[in-house]
Amino acid sequence: MMYEQELKTLLQANGATLVGFSDLGDRAPAEFPNLRYAVTIVRRLSDTVVETINGKPSIMYFHHYRTTNTKLDLLALDAVDFMEARGYAALPIAASQSTNTDKDAYKGVFSHKTAAVLSGLGFIGKNALFINPQYGSKIRLATVLTDMPLSPEFPVMERGCGACEICKNACPAKAITGNNYIYGNARDTVLDARRCSEHMKTYKDIGRGAVCGICMRVCPYNQRKGGTPS
Ligand code: SF4
Ligand code: SF4
């Protein structure tokens, strides 16, 4: 633990909700094999805004989603400055990534959730969202890849969804399989990303068809009083 605490203090002072660290090992992106360490930056979503999602996304949620992503991207820049000032490489991965180079797979340059799971801050739910025990999935993520050696503060979390199927039953696109996510498995074991994305386009009048949020809204981990699935 050389720089972790200093970096965490900086990012939290600037508005990060949680900060985690990981050694990606062979999960580093093939294009950047030297950048095998990652900083995960978490920013919580507003309870009040999330509660405006009722059966469909709201315009308030769409704007909040975009603003939170921008805040995360700015926090990632703070981390980049910190690491480059100390002589290390640092590559920010945007909170909301373009799929232009791989449209069919609906994937970004690097999966934020891979680094987030390895940081020990949470696990992946049946809705394919990253879930932190304190904040649920009412969070957004950004990642900075680096060659600065960083160690996770926590072990990988085992917690899961159990028998809960609330998000599967609530998804209007029937995009959620209901399988528990097993770390290392492909995303399509839990989520049909194409179906999800196509459904979002039906909300073109709300956020130009880029958000939904129903499976986040209904999750017991996201209720204000800290419910957990049965
Ligand atoms: S975001 Fe909406 S469409 Fe996509 S999986 Fe969740 S509930 Fe289904
Ligand atoms: S609604 Fe239930 S099954 Fe879906 S992610 Fe939340 S806890 Fe898991």
Side-chain angles (χ1 to χ4, degrees), residues 123-129 131 137 161-181 190-191 212-223 229:
F123 63 93
I124 295 174
K126 288 183 182 177
N127 54 8
L129 296 175
I131 299 176
S137 56
C161 297
C164 178
E165 291 202 329
I166 292 173
C167 58
K168 176 187 173 187
N169 295 332
C171 174
K174 304 277 177 244
I176 297 170
T177 66
N179 295 326
N180 264 306
Y181 180 75
V190 293
L191 179 77
C212 170
I214 293 170
C215 56
M216 173 188 64
R217 174 74 174 92
V218 299
C219 178
Y221 278 106
N222 294 338
Q223 306 317 308

Side-chain angles (χ1 to χ4, degrees), residues 107-128:
K107 284 180 181 161
V109 175
F110 175 76
S111 163
H112 296 299
K113 287 180 269 193
T114 295
V117 167
L118 289 173
S119 77
L121 288 177
F123 63 93
I124 295 174
K126 288 183 182 177
N127 54 8

Side-chain angles (χ1 to χ4, degrees), residues 30-57:
E31 312 91 288
F32 307 104
N34 58 319
L35 305 182
R36 60 172 281 185
Y37 302 97
V39 182
T40 293
I41 307 169
V42 179
R43 173 85 190 180
R44 65 178 286 272
L45 293 166
S46 151
D47 291 325
T48 310
V49 174
V50 170
E51 284 164 9
T52 65
I53 303 170
N54 275 316
K56 62 180 188 177

Side-chain angles (χ1 to χ4, degrees), residues 85-183:
R86 287 157 182 79
Y88 294 96
L91 184 73
I93 306 296
S96 188
Q97 303 174 54
S98 165
T99 57
N100 288 346
T101 56
D102 199 358
K103 271 185 181 165
D104 290 337
Y106 298 98
K107 284 180 181 161
V109 175
F110 175 76
S111 163
H112 296 299
K113 287 180 269 193
T114 295
V117 167
L118 289 173
S119 77
L121 288 177
F123 63 93
I124 295 174
K126 288 183 182 177
N127 54 8
L129 296 175
F130 180 72
I131 299 176
N132 168 266
Q134 184 178 0
Y135 295 100
S137 56
K138 283 188 293 189
I139 50 179
R140 298 285 305 154
L141 305 171
T143 310
V144 180
L145 302 175
T146 181
D147 57 2
M148 172 185 272
L150 296 168
S151 303
E153 201 176 337
F154 310 106
V156 170
M157 197 175 286
E158 295 291 333
R159 210 159 161 176
C161 297
C164 178
E165 291 202 329
I166 292 173
C167 58
K168 176 187 173 187
N169 295 332
C171 174
K174 304 277 177 244
I176 297 170
T177 66
N179 295 326
N180 264 306
Y181 180 75
I182 296 166
Y183 183 68

